């Protein structure tokens, strides 16, 4: 039985993940659209650092047969004197890996490079590379240095992409070598798991490498029928805390003892579940509402971002708005109005969006958003790209009020928020008449990907108008939800007057 690098990383996340991958893979869900987008982004980035190695030989595979033949082709390339190879495959004792870059530095030594679409090195990169190092040395390859090529998030595009500036390299040789002993032990344990006839314990308590949310999704599929108020739906539970609750025989949130140590956010959720009633801090909410000044502008941005900046002045992974929705309430009794902007062309949307926003939004009154860090961050990003609008954009930030605060600070709690203060958790409870369910686009990630594919990749040409309408309706729902949630808060406060 042979373990690949990908399978080894699955084992580190949860031993049962590896076993299921080998023996019952159909129980594992396919990557969702968000995860697939991350994979695609990584593949997109690879072509830029690879330009740092002119004349390299790309190997790789496009079929099972080609995969099985890859070790032979890799050996053939190295024996033929190749200076650098991409996507070569090596085999050791029951382990195998495909490397990103192997660069010959002299007759007997190579440097090993891993290409990562992150802005810094991470601990999982060290474990990944330690596994590769063991495979390479088992195959008789002497490795001098081990390095990670990752994204330089300070790079600012100016004309054609400068592949040398887009990426940066970090030497991780020392820390990776320190991981070798631990990794050899992990490999032994992984092979032992594969020798078992039954799947290891699937409890989330065994999760490591920051993979708890991923595994919880898998766990709920494997177990089925989990009560929606189970301990596995505690907000940010942590693998250790789950294990402690399991050891106490606790399955439901309502049964968590008062003296059990949990976070403040979790405590609010537990209390809401136990009471079954909404908790409303009317004094705190009234204080929040006092800060609002008419006219009220309910603002929501939809943004795009990419590893490779598509336009001058942009940096990797910057969130740049391509759309906004703006509901406007001039006074408490006024008729609700709506304005908005959606960019339709393959050009930088920033400037025309700002110009339209200047026309739509007045110079006084509160600007209501959900999660102010995001909208304020977008305004700062736009101000950096278009400094001529800096005064206008930063003035908007001074007027922003965050409607999420009454929920994130526990002024309003409900068991069916499940400890979350996101608008998609709050809206169904407070405004059950509104729903994203009937919309073609139901999330910001989908909105961003759909717009980018339609605009940048010229996809969906036969249904552009339909897609643009879907984008408008989705963004409009976000701001309308804020209007209705504010109405509900005001209603709760007025009950006590």
């Amino acid at each position: 039985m042979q373990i690949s690098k990908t399978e080894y990383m699955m084992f580190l996340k949860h031993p049962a993940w590896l076993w299921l991958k080998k023996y019952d893979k159909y129980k594992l869900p396919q990557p969702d659209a968000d995860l697939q987008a991350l994979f695609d982004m990584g593949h997109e980035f690879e072509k830029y650092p690879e330009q740092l190695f002119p004349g390299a030989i790309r190997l790789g595979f496009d079929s099972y047969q080609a995969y099985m033949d890859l070790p032979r082709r890799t050996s053939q390339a190295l024996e033929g004197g190749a200076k650098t190879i991409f996507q070569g495959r090596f085999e050791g004792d029951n382990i195998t890996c495909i490397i990103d870059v192997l660069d010959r530095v002299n007759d007997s030594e190579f440097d090993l490079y891993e290409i990562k679409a992150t802005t810094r090195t991470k601990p999982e990169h060290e474990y990944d590379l330690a596994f590769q190092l063991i495979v390479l040395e088992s195959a008789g390859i002497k490795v001098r240095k081990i390095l990670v090529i990752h994204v330089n998030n300070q790079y600012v595009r100016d004309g054609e992409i400068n592949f040398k500036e887009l990426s940066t390299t970090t030497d991780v040789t020392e820390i990776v070598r320190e991981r070798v002993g631990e990794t050899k032990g992990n490999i032994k344990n992984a092979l032992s798991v594969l020798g078992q006839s039954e799947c290891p314990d699937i409890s989330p308590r065994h999760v490591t490498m920051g993979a708890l949310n991923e595994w919880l999704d898998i766990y709920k599929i494997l177990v089925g029928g989990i009560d929606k108020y189970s301990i596995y739906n505690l907000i940010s539970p942590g693998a250790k805390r789950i294990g402690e609750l399991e050891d106490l025989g606790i399955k439901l949130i309502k049964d968590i003892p008062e003296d059990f140590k949990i976070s403040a956010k979790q405590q609010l959720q537990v209390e809401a579940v136990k009471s079954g009633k909404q908790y409303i801090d009317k004094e705190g909410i009234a204080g929040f509402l006092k800060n609002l000044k008419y006219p009220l502008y309910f603002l929501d941005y939809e943004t795009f971002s990419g590893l490779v900046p598509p336009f001058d002045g942009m940096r990797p992974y910057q969130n740049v708005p391509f759309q906004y929705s703006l509901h406007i309430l001039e006074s408490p009794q006024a008729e609700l109005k709506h304005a908005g902007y959606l960019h339709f062309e393959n050009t930088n949307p920033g400037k025309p969006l700002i110009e339209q926003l200047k026309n739509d939004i007045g110079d006084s009154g509160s600007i209501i958003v959900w999660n102010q860090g995001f909208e304020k961050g977008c305004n700062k990003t736009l101000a950096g790209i278009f400094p001529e609008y800096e005064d206008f954009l930063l003035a908007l930030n001074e007027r922003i009020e965050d409607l999420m605060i009454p929920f994130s600070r526990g002024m309003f709690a409900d068991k069916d928020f499940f400890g979350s203060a996101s608008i998609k958790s709050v809206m169904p409870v407070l405004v059950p008449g509104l729903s994203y369910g009937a919309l073609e686009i139901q999330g910001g990630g989908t909105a961003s990907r759909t717009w980018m594919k339609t605009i940048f990749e010229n996809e969906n040409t036969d249904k552009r108008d339909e897609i643009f309408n879907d984008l408008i309706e989705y963004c409009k729902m976000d701001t309308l939800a804020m209007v209705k949630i504010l109405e509900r808060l005001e209603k709760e406060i007025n009950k006590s007057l």
Side-chain angles (χ1 to χ4, degrees), residues 175-292:
I175 185 63
V176 169
R177 289 198 175 277
E178 289 175 2
R179 299 281 189 202
V180 166
E182 177 186 2
T183 301
K184 286 181 176 178
N186 287 335
I187 291 170
K188 182 179 179 181
N189 292 336
L191 289 167
S192 176
V193 164
L194 291 182
Q196 298 176 17
S197 59
E198 294 184 0
C199 183
D201 180 14
I202 62 174
S203 168
R205 69 190 299 159
H206 304 297
V207 170
T208 61
M209 306 291 286
L212 183 58
N213 288 339
E214 281 183 275
W215 184 255
L216 279 172
D217 289 341
I218 295 170
Y219 178 78
K220 291 170 186 177
I221 293 171
L222 295 174
V223 174
I226 288 181
D227 191 291
K228 66 178 182 177
Y229 303 115
S230 81
I231 60 170
Y232 306 111
N233 286 324
L234 188 66
I235 186 75
S236 305
K240 180 181 178 182
R241 186 167 285 126
I242 286 175
E244 291 170 349
L245 289 169
E246 287 179 338
D247 288 341
L248 292 172
I250 294 169
K251 297 181 179 181
L252 300 176
I253 291 173
K254 70 179 180 65
D255 296 324
I256 294 177
E258 290 185 7
D259 60 352
F260 187 80
K261 188 175 181 181
I262 52 178
S263 69
K265 186 178 290 188
Q266 290 168 340
Q267 187 63 45
L268 283 171
Q269 182 186 3
V270 170
E271 290 173 359
V273 171
K274 286 184 176 183
S275 71
K277 299 176 182 178
Q278 290 179 339
Y279 169 77
I280 303 173
D281 174 5
K282 293 187 175 182
E283 184 177 342
I285 293 172
F288 172 81
L289 295 177
K290 273 186 181 178
N291 292 327
L292 304 184

